[in-house]
Amino acid sequence: MFNRTSLQAAAALASISLLAGCGLLSEDDADGEDKIIVGTTSAPSTLDPAAAWDGSWELYRNVFQTLLSFPTGSTTPQPDAADCKFTDASSKVFQCELKDGLTFSDGGKLDAQAVKHSIDRIRKINAKGGPNGLLGSLDRIAVNGDATIVFHLKEPDATFPYILATPAMSIVSPEKYPEDELREDGKITGSGPYVLDAYEEGVKAELSKNPHYKGFADRKNNGVTIRYFETSETMVAALKKKEIDATYRGLTAEEVVDLREKKPANEGLQLVESTGADIRYLVFNPKDPAAGKVAVRKAIAQVVDREALVAKVYQGTAEPLYSMVPKGIAGHTTEFFDRYGEPDVDKAKKLLRDAGVETPVKLTFWYTTDRYGSATAPEFAELKRQLDASGLFEVTLQGKPWKEFQAGYQKGEYPVFGRGWFPDFPDPDNFIAPFVGKENVLSTPYERPEITEQLLPLSRRESDRGAVSKEFEKAQEILGNDVRLLPLWQGKLYVAAKEEIAGGERALDPQTVMQMWELHRQTAW
């Protein structure tokens, strides 16, 4: 996911109270008499799982089921709609047995054919920007009766259970989702904890309990209203006015700092903090006359001051990142620091001079104005300031709304652009594989056979995912030398909520996706 530190820590969040002398809390109000209203700046790009490899997963997790999932506290896939396991020693045959009595929210039967249909259509439709890229190791799917699904893989892939646990592999009704085209009636038919009762694009989604649900989620409320905000400013204002109960995704550093303070406007509010797995990075287009030169990319890596960036723009809500694999994940290194060290203009100047590159190098940096929060524009302003101040670069900034921005980079129009990544699943593979190969999530081909044909296949033979560090450390060395991507920072995650709202410390799964069913009201005594 553009998506995505220590994921083990994601399930053990630290709650920071904004009230002095808060009382102890009583037993949870498990009945959830009214809906919880959650605000976010990340609206779905589509309602059809076959077309989304982005923040749309937030909604999917709450209305669809997957064969496996990541319940709070788990960093390995656990049963959801099925019990699954590899049935061979080489991690090439993966079998799932559906639980009894599963149905869709409309009462339709959820069987093995429905699962096969759901995943086959992802590959057949192959939507631009969709999740088909996650299924590169899948050869074919076989079914045996109503309950058994067998996935035959082209090569060993110990990460396949993690892929099945992503919301991209949501199980959909064959009667409502065509096999060769996207569903576009604005509705959802799933088997998850909630039913989508109403949806206004970019405005809100109304969820109520699914009466047919049979899964692991322990729903602590009767329903959720998700409100979509264009800016974090309006979202936080709604929280302070008590118009919404909680917020997730999109808080700026300034807003987090403000919410920590004991101001009258913050009375009755709380902030829940977790170490996040989301990362931000720059992408360089190899076809651009300037960005295509490795000396230019290395010079930028030599000049960028991550410490200053996170201090000025993110004020302690992020930390510098020197590896595409964040802290807490096997394969994390400090390769970019080890290779380039502290920011050094003189070293950057020598790199450009030795390569015969004339200065200042003129580049345009592109960013999305409405995807990663309001701090994105100040972040790029700081990057421009640093690079321009070196005298080696002359940077122009351009911002566009996400859909236009996405269309532009997919067409290869941008020389340099900023992206964010939230984890599809908690494994180092997911921070390397999506960005390499002829076809990748960045739409900028990055063919590196040593990674795609040697290191990744070798690592995928290892079922113990903690034992794959060596392969990913080597991949990091290659990435550090090529500088096709430049990691910038690793974020922290925050849930801001009314003090009466409990469950925020359990609401984020290891994919940093909000599990709405954990949120509920409580009373003080």
Side-chain angles (χ1 to χ4, degrees):
M1 193 183 297
F2 301 118
N3 290 225
R4 270 99 165 358
T5 72
S6 173
L7 294 171
Q8 288 85 349
L13 312 179
S15 178
I16 307 171
S17 176
L18 299 178
L19 286 180
C22 293
L24 297 177
L25 301 174
S26 69
E27 293 295 318
D28 298 337
D29 175 16
D31 292 336
E33 294 180 356
D34 55 356
K35 283 190 172 183
I36 303 295
I37 305 174
V38 178
T40 179
T41 60
S42 183
S45 61
T46 172
L47 296 184
D48 192 325
W53 194 350
D54 56 25
S56 305
W57 289 10
E58 205 83 61
L59 179 61
Y60 300 167
R61 176 59 77 205
N62 292 278
V63 295
F64 292 108
Q65 269 185 299
T66 44
L67 293 171
L68 301 168
S69 192
F70 290 102
T72 299
S74 172
T75 56
T76 57
Q78 302 296 317
D80 187 356
D83 292 298
C84 305
K85 64 180 180 180
F86 280 107
T87 58
D88 65 333
S90 60
S91 299
K92 289 182 65 177
V93 181
F94 194 68
Q95 182 170 309
C96 294
E97 296 289 335
L98 288 173
K99 295 179 179 178
D100 294 334
L102 295 177
T103 63
F104 291 104
S105 56
D106 62 356
K109 186 178 181 181
L110 194 167
D111 57 11
Q113 287 292 345
V115 175
K116 185 177 187 303
H117 170 85
S118 300
I119 297 177
D120 278 347
R121 68 187 296 268
I122 293 173
R123 301 205 291 171
K124 189 166 187 176
I125 295 171
N126 193 22
K128 188 77 170 179
N132 188 33
L134 287 169
L135 295 170
S137 65
L138 179 60
D139 181 19
R140 60 187 176 87
I141 305 172
V143 300
N144 183 8
D146 286 346
T148 304
I149 309 103
V150 183
F151 299 91
H152 295 271
L153 309 183
K154 300 173 187 174
E155 60 268 332
D157 187 1
T159 71
F160 192 71
Y162 292 78
I163 293 167
L164 289 181
T166 68
M169 303 300 137
S170 295
I171 305 169
V172 300
S173 168
E175 295 182 3
K176 302 296 176 62
Y177 293 81
E179 66 175 355
D180 55 358
E181 62 183 12
L182 299 175
R183 180 177 182 177
E184 297 180 345
D185 63 357
K187 298 179 180 180
I188 283 176
T189 308
S191 60
Y194 298 100
V195 175
L196 180 67
D197 293 325
Y199 180 74
E200 293 181 60
E201 184 175 358
V203 180
K204 67 178 180 178
E206 297 282 359
L207 310 182
S208 63
K209 278 186 175 180
N210 176 6
H212 301 286
Y213 176 65
K214 293 183 179 181
F216 71 90
D218 179 13
R219 295 167 293 184
K220 296 181 172 66
N221 57 61
N222 274 345
V224 177
T225 296
I226 306 173
R227 284 186 55 187
Y228 301 112
F229 293 85
E230 291 188 3
T231 68
S232 59
E233 181 181 3
T234 55
M235 179 175 69
V236 172
L239 177 67
K240 291 186 174 184
K241 293 176 184 177
K242 308 301 191 292
E243 295 173 353
I244 60 177
D245 297 309
T247 72
Y248 178 55
R249 292 233 193 267
L251 291 176
T252 66
E254 292 81 4
E255 288 160 349
V256 170
V257 171
D258 173 78
L259 286 166
R260 282 186 176 135
E261 297 180 8
K262 297 173 183 177
K263 299 177 178 179
N266 297 336
E267 185 176 354
L269 300 180
Q270 62 173 316
L271 193 67
V272 178
E273 176 186 307
S274 74
T275 302
D278 59 315
I279 67 173
R280 295 293 186 277
Y281 55 95
L282 293 177
V283 183
F284 297 96
N285 188 340
K287 294 183 179 180
D288 181 76
K293 296 177 180 178
V294 68
V296 171
R297 303 196 298 268
K298 287 185 174 182
I300 291 174
Q302 192 67 73
V303 170
V304 168
D305 188 338
R306 295 169 177 80
E307 295 281 354
L309 178 67
V310 299
K312 290 182 179 181
V313 179
Y314 291 99
Q315 304 178 52
T317 63
E319 57 184 317
L321 181 63
Y322 298 94
S323 164
M324 285 300 292
V325 179
K327 289 182 180 179
I329 300 291
H332 169 73
T333 68
T334 55
E335 173 64 29
F336 281 83
F337 185 83
D338 299 341
R339 185 178 292 270
Y340 301 102
E342 298 288 351
D344 193 317
V345 173
D346 289 337
K347 288 183 179 179
K349 184 181 298 184
K350 185 177 186 304
L351 283 166
L352 294 172
R353 183 176 61 245
D354 290 350
V357 178
E358 294 185 6
T359 59
V361 179
K362 295 183 179 181
L363 287 167
T364 300
F365 281 30
W366 290 79
Y367 64 92
T368 177
T369 57
D370 60 352
R371 191 65 176 176
Y372 306 124
S374 303
T376 305
E379 173 184 342
F380 274 76
E382 172 60 16
L383 289 170
K384 171 180 166 59
R385 185 198 67 77
Q386 292 180 11
L387 293 168
D388 287 356
S390 73
L392 303 176
F393 300 94
E394 187 177 312
V395 175
T396 300
L397 300 180
Q398 292 284 348
K400 281 189 175 183
W402 172 253
K403 288 190 175 182
E404 293 179 47
F405 173 80
Q406 186 179 40
Y409 78 69
Q410 288 176 346
K411 294 175 183 176
E413 295 177 353
Y414 307 150
V416 185
F417 58 97
R419 284 297 309 272
W421 184 253
F422 298 89
D424 299 321
F425 49 87
D427 188 274
D429 188 287
N430 195 231
F431 293 91
I432 301 295
F435 310 112
V436 295
K438 186 175 181 179
E439 294 184 8
N440 58 49
V441 299
L442 305 171
S443 299
T444 53
Y446 180 16
E447 297 184 64
R448 258 302 196 162
E450 187 175 357
I451 296 178
T452 56
E453 297 176 16
Q454 297 178 35
L455 296 173
L456 289 176
L458 184 61
S459 72
R460 289 168 180 169
R461 295 178 184 273
E462 179 57 66
S463 59
D464 179 3
R465 302 309 293 162
V468 295
S469 295
K470 184 185 299 183
E471 290 80 10
F472 289 101
E473 288 170 4
K474 179 61 178 177
Q476 289 292 293
E477 290 180 13
I478 296 170
L479 291 170
N481 186 59
D482 292 348
V483 202
R484 286 288 304 278
L485 304 103
L486 182 65
L488 297 173
W489 56 266
Q490 171 177 343
K492 298 177 182 178
L493 297 176
Y494 296 90
V495 174
K498 295 178 183 177
E499 195 196 28
E500 69 190 59
I501 300 298
E505 73 284 354
R506 292 182 54 82
L508 306 183
D509 74 4
Q511 299 163 304
T512 70
V513 169
M514 175 73 88
Q515 300 178 137
M516 300 293 181
W517 57 84
E518 294 286 359
L519 300 177
H520 58 284
R521 301 185 191 281
Q522 59 187 357
T523 56
W525 55 270

